[in-house]
Amino acid sequence: MTLRPILSVLAALLMMTAVARADMPMFYSSKGAAIGGYDTVAYFTAGKAQRGRSDIAVMWKGAMWLFSNRRNRDIFEANPRAYAPQYGGYCAYAMSKGRALGTDPESWKIVDGKLYLIHNRTNMKVWVRNPPQYIVLSDGNWPEALGH
């Protein structure tokens, strides 16, 4: 076997990986909006999950972000990275296992000033037992897990 066919196969594999990554957006969205239409700033300011309004929205990093009020939208626009959920809004627990999985906006926790979303309440019960451990594991898998 010559080098040319091997290089062709490797190039094809790299291209397939790039296409797979392109299919998974950097920010998870559900129902057409980041965090399923919930207000990401409200987790910090109100201490609870609040639905956003479609008429108070911002497009950021390829996702539509909805807010419950204009003040929260303005806060987000001033510093979106401070309020965007970790791991692109994908499940922090699943990310610790190297997988990108959707989230339930009602399953969340703020740790050290960062918002973490979890797939469901069952996974949340596991994740809250040791957030620092899961965060370290997830940090090691993000964003490569988007390609899996």
Side-chain angles (χ1 to χ4, degrees):
M1 189 170 203
T2 66
L3 187 58
R4 178 175 234 126
I6 292 171
L7 290 175
S8 295
V9 169
L10 287 174
L13 288 172
L14 287 172
M15 186 174 268
M16 288 171 46
T17 301
V19 168
R21 282 180 183 257
D23 289 342
M24 177 117 353
M26 185 61 92
F27 279 95
Y28 173 74
S29 63
S30 171
K31 302 174 186 169
I35 314 178
Y38 279 69
D39 181 340
T40 190
V41 175
Y43 291 103
F44 295 89
T45 60
K48 63 182 180 179
Q50 288 183 333
R51 290 191 184 277
R53 295 175 25 189
S54 60
D55 62 324
I56 307 175
V58 171
M59 179 65 83
W60 182 70
K61 295 286 186 182
M64 185 64 64
W65 300 79
L66 306 183
F67 302 92
S68 57
N69 58 62
R70 285 174 173 47
R71 180 177 179 270
N72 283 5
R73 180 197 58 202
D74 294 345
I75 290 169
F76 181 81
E77 284 185 303
N79 190 1
R81 293 185 195 286
Y83 298 96
Q86 300 302 293
Y87 318 120
Y90 291 93
C91 175
Y93 177 70
M95 192 60 60
S96 73
K97 310 261 185 239
R99 297 177 307 176
L101 189 62
T103 54
D104 171 6
E106 299 283 341
S107 297
W108 62 279
K109 182 135 179 91
I110 294 175
V111 177
D112 295 330
K114 296 178 181 180
L115 175 61
Y116 296 88
L117 299 172
I118 309 296
H119 178 67
N120 58 33
R121 291 172 196 237
T122 301
N123 289 354
M124 184 73 179
K125 288 177 185 175
V126 175
W127 191 85
V128 297
R129 289 183 197 149
N130 195 347
Q133 173 191 348
Y134 291 116
I135 291 169
V136 167
L137 292 170
S138 296
D139 286 351
N141 291 324
W142 175 255
E144 288 77 17
L146 292 180
H148 293 211

